[in-house]
RNA sequence: GUCCCCAUCGUCUAGUGGUUAGGACACUGCCCUUUCACGGCAGUAACCGGGGUUCAAGUCCCCGUGGGGACGCCA
């Protein structure tokens, strides 16, 4: 049978990092097995679902390049079908009207809590035959009272839950709209899902859902419950608890490759391997190998991975993702060196794409102020003379190439009888405004002759004024 | 409170009865070096506790402890 998986977020916020991992696992498993991966938007809660969230989720999926095989399914398009199934359950006697008020239910739960019991619906409307005047009833699923439900979970193993721990859950609200546990089951059956991969916060729902599968005479999919991701404080990462949206990682300069690589290694591994290409992920991943314990999100490792990818990805790929940051940081690159050359010169010292852009500004724009610490440390009384000597040497060059620039700098050192470490650092500050840049020959070559000479003139003036 | 899940360095993990408990991030030191990085080398650091089973337990079982989750007319 062809594998079918789905990612089923509810559009009540952005795509967060935990959701992204679940989506990745679903996607990988489908891709690995030659199956299909679908996206289903669970928007039955009309109070909280928004179009903006739908867009954000779609955007996140696209950024991560987790492509789905069919058009996304929206549950709000399927209300007729849910009503049909609810009616079927009513007709079969597997569902019933419940007229209890919210106050009544609250009181019941309070009482149970007081008695140190698990709050659960006690089934008081199970046998009611008369409607209650003026009350729009909800519909509850009649859960079996005896026996137990067994989940053969692909990541957790065998889980057994006694039916007496479960209660009769609401499948239709008093306004007639269906609720989560019903819609999931109906959709997964109709969409012929073979594998339900989701966060383990859903484990408690699974036995109820299995009972509904049984009531509907449907075949069970395989379940795989992946552990939650915890924040630095050990608490579950969620929308209301520090989980940031995946698009925020783009804003901070992460590559989608790095995010995906980080996510796959969070709870899964393949020996000692840390870096996985997309192809390797698909080839090596198996849902059954996912670690059953929750893991803590660690930004430093994500940073390291990001750096690895910035260092090694083809330059065109880097540039593709860099565009967004160039716009974001308002950098005009039309007047300066080739972006590819700049990227190649600087990629080894960038932790993020945002850093990369920020640290390349001097190739394209002039500046009038120097980094305070860099100037303080490297501009001395002798600087104007050194800069002047450098300027003379560089100006006389017939060609502006790495070799000639390098030779000019060394020749200056010799003329002045100074070591390179007295000449190089101030030169760097003069030309870039900061204390860090690629090696001087590369930097000067890219900055260009004209700009270099102009900046040396500027540095001479600056230092003359300072030490006058 | 009740039920469910989980437990190896600070973090991510390898490990499937016999290992000097391995790797990665982070951290520290050294080397490389015109800066910052990169890179290389070295180092600190872990089997939650207690009982079993066994010749042998990080590995299997039980009980604690700790952490997480669920207990909605949310998903």
């Amino acid at each position: 049978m062809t594998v079918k998986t789905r990612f089923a977020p509810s559009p009540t916020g952005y795509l967060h990092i935990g959701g992204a991992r679940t989506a990745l696992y679903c996607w990988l498993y489908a891709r690995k097995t030659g199956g299909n991966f679908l996206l289903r938007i669970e928007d039955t809660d009309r109070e909280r679902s928004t179009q903006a969230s739908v867009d954000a989720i779609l955007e996140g999926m696209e950024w991560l390049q987790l492509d789905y095989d069919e058009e996304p399914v929206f549950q709000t398009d399927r209300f007729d079908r849910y009503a049909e199934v609810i009616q079927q359950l009513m007709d079969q006697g597997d569902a019933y009207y419940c007229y209890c008020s919210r106050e009544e239910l609250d009181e019941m739960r309070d009482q149970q809590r007081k008695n140190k019991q698990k709050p659960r619906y006690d089934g008081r409307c199970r046998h009611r035959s008369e409607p209650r005047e003026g009350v729009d009833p909800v519909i509850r699923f009649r859960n079996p009272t005896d026996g137990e439900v067994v989940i053969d979970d692909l990541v957790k193993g065998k889980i057994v839950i006694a039916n007496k721990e479960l209660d009769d859950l609401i499948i239709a609200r008093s306004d007639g709209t269906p609720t989560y546990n019903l819609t999931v089951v109906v959709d997964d059956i109709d969409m012929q899902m073979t594998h339900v991969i989701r966060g383990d916060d859903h484990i408690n729902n699974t036995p109820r859902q299995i009972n509904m599968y049984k009531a509907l005479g449907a075949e069970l999919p395989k379940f795989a419950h992946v552990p939650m991701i915890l924040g630095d404080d050990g608490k579950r990462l969620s929308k209301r608890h520090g989980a940031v949206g995946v698009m925020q990682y783009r804003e901070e300069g992460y590559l989608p490759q790095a995010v995906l690589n980080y996510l796959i290694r969070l709870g899964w591994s393949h020996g000692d391997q840390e870096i996985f290409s997309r192809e390797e992920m698909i080839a090596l991943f198996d849902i059954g190998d996912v670690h059953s314990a929750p893991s803590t999100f660690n930004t430093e490792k994500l940073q390291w991975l990001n750096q690895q990818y910035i260092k090694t990805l083809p330059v065109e790929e880097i540039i593709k993702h860099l565009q967004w940051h160039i716009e974001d940081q308002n950098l005009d690159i039309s007047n300066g060196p080739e972006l590819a050359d700049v990227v190649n010169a600087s990629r080894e010292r960038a932790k993020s794409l945002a850093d990369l852009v920020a640290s390349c500004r001097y190739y394209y724009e002039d500046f009038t102020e120097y980094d305070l610490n860099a100037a303080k440390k490297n501009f001395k009384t002798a600087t104007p003379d050194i800069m002047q000597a450098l300027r003379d040497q560089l100006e006389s060059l017939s060609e502006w190439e790495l070799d000639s620039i390098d030779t000019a700098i060394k020749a200056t050192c010799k003329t002045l009888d100074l070591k390179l470490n007295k000449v190089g650092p101030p030169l760097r500050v003069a030309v870039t405004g900061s204390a860090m840049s690629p090696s001087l020959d590369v930097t000067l070559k890219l900055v260009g002759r004209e700009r270099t000479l102009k900046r040396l003139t500027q540095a001479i003036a600056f230092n003359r004024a300072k030490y006058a």
Side-chain angles (χ1 to χ4, degrees):
Chain A
M1 188 165 42
T2 313
V3 165
K4 269 184 130 180
T5 65
R6 84 296 193 282
F7 175 54
S10 65
T12 54
Y14 42 65
L15 174 62
H16 62 95
I17 207 75
R21 186 177 61 155
T22 307
L24 171 64
Y25 287 179
C26 292
W27 180 85
L28 282 172
Y29 191 67
R31 292 289 168 264
K32 177 196 182 61
T33 53
N36 289 323
F37 170 65
L38 307 186
L39 183 63
R40 185 171 74 221
I41 305 294
E42 311 222 320
D43 53 354
T44 52
D45 183 350
R46 299 170 111 158
E47 303 272 303
R48 279 187 271 184
S49 300
T50 64
Q51 185 59 42
S53 298
V54 173
D55 295 342
I57 290 165
L58 262 28
E59 187 187 27
M61 295 291 284
E62 190 185 335
W63 184 64
L64 293 172
Q65 298 251 303
L66 299 178
D67 56 313
Y68 26 94
D69 295 306
E70 291 170 21
E71 283 302 297
V73 170
F74 288 81
Q75 293 193 316
T76 42
D77 291 340
R78 291 174 45 77
F79 274 26
D80 290 349
R81 173 61 183 148
Y82 304 135
E84 195 177 297
V85 175
I86 291 166
Q87 189 56 51
Q88 183 193 336
L89 290 169
M90 286 293 279
D91 294 345
Q92 290 175 192
D94 285 318
Y96 61 91
Y97 288 118
C98 168
Y99 294 87
C100 297
S101 66
R102 293 172 202 251
E103 295 72 33
E104 199 176 342
L105 294 173
D106 285 346
E107 197 189 313
M108 180 189 72
R109 292 188 191 111
D110 283 349
Q111 196 56 242
Q112 288 165 330
R113 255 186 266 267
K114 214 172 282 175
N115 296 336
K116 304 197 168 187
Q117 290 172 318
K118 172 158 43 169
R120 51 193 284 282
Y121 182 64
D122 61 8
R124 55 183 68 176
C125 286
R126 268 194 161 214
H127 304 293
R128 174 187 285 275
S129 48
E130 293 301 307
R132 195 180 276 180
E133 276 309 307
V135 176
D136 291 326
V138 299
I139 298 175
R140 289 184 185 269
F141 175 69
R142 195 185 296 274
N143 198 80
T145 49
D146 302 316
E148 52 193 32
V149 182
V150 177
I151 311 171
D152 259 315
D153 197 275
L154 260 22
V155 340
K156 303 274 187 183
K158 190 172 170 183
I159 302 170
V160 182
I161 293 107
N163 270 321
K164 67 172 198 282
E165 294 295 336
L166 274 24
D167 64 357
D168 293 344
L169 76 184
I170 292 171
I171 55 177
R173 302 183 180 94
S174 47
D175 65 1
T177 56
T179 62
Y180 168 74
N181 279 292
L182 184 279
T183 59
V184 175
V185 171
V186 173
D187 285 341
D188 284 337
I189 293 171
D190 287 355
M191 293 165 81
Q192 299 179 356
M193 288 300 145
T194 60
H195 296 260
V196 170
I197 300 170
R198 63 191 7 166
D200 72 1
D201 50 336
H202 285 288
I203 282 189
N204 293 280
N205 292 134
T206 307
R208 307 164 194 277
Q209 292 172 12
I210 288 177
N211 283 330
M212 281 194 265
Y213 273 92
K214 288 179 179 161
L216 294 168
E219 202 176 316
L220 250 36
K222 298 247 186 259
F223 291 99
H225 288 98
V226 316
M228 302 279 90
I229 299 175
L230 274 26
D232 285 328
D233 58 356
K235 293 274 186 246
R236 169 191 168 185
L237 218 51
S238 70
K239 280 173 198 169
R240 40 205 164 267
H241 187 84
V244 288
V246 290
M247 297 318 285
Q248 193 177 325
Y249 286 96
R250 174 176 73 177
E251 282 166 34
E252 288 173 10
Y254 292 95
L255 285 156
Q257 287 91 335
V259 173
L260 251 21
N261 198 141
Y262 180 72
L263 253 20
I264 195 177
R265 275 291 282 105
L266 198 60
W268 176 87
S269 62
H270 180 72
D272 288 341
Q273 192 170 343
E274 295 289 346
I275 311 276
F276 297 87
S277 69
R278 196 161 258 262
E279 293 69 33
E280 285 176 310
M281 287 186 192
I282 293 170
L284 267 17
F285 181 79
D286 196 328
I287 191 69
D289 294 337
V290 172
H291 199 123
S292 55
S295 35
T296 306
F297 193 88
N298 181 236
T299 308
E300 279 160 347
K301 184 143 186 189
L302 170 60
Q303 247 165 32
W304 175 77
L305 274 165
N306 200 41
Q307 197 172 20
Q308 295 302 308
Y309 278 99
I310 290 175
K311 265 167 47 187
T312 56
L313 242 29
V315 69
E316 316 84 66
E317 181 68 16
I318 302 290
I319 287 177
K320 194 174 99 192
H321 293 286
L322 212 51
Q323 297 302 342
W324 188 90
H325 292 92
I326 289 171
E327 276 178 44
D328 186 53
Q329 293 185 34
N330 255 316
L331 180 64
D332 178 2
I333 56 162
S334 60
N335 183 20
E338 281 296 319
L339 187 55
D341 295 335
V342 171
V343 169
N344 282 329
S346 302
R347 67 204 306 191
E348 281 196 350
R349 61 209 87 217
K351 272 196 162 52
S352 77
L353 297 181
D355 283 353
L356 190 51
V357 170
S359 68
C360 289
R361 191 165 281 272
Y362 56 77
Y363 290 117
Y364 302 99
E365 285 177 6
D366 290 330
F367 52 87
T368 50
E369 285 180 6
Y370 301 93
D371 176 86
L372 217 60
N373 288 329
K376 202 168 166 184
K377 190 171 171 203
N378 296 296
F379 284 165
K380 309 282 180 199
T381 339
T383 301
D385 292 339
I386 299 171
M387 293 300 113
Q388 186 61 56
L390 276 165
R391 196 186 183 289
D392 292 344
Q393 279 284 350
L394 290 164
E395 191 177 24
S396 71
L397 289 177
S398 56
E399 53 176 26
W400 195 254
E401 294 300 333
L402 296 182
D403 282 352
S404 51
I405 293 168
D406 191 54
T407 309
I409 295 172
K410 286 188 176 136
T412 309
C413 289
K414 203 163 182 189
T415 309
L416 300 173
D417 193 25
L418 286 171
K419 290 214 159 135
L420 188 49
N421 63 10
K422 296 283 176 225
V423 176
L427 171 59
R428 172 170 284 106
V429 179
V431 174
T432 71
S434 84
M436 47 194 125
S437 86
S439 69
L440 282 168
D441 47 357
V442 173
T443 305
L444 263 55
K445 165 116 195 290
L446 289 175
V447 166
R449 168 184 226 134
E450 209 177 309
R451 276 192 170 127
T452 300
L453 297 179
K454 198 169 120 195
R455 288 175 190 178
L456 282 169
T457 305
Q458 175 178 296
I460 292 163
F462 177 87
N463 281 286
R464 288 243 158 86
K466 189 174 157 196
Y467 295 110

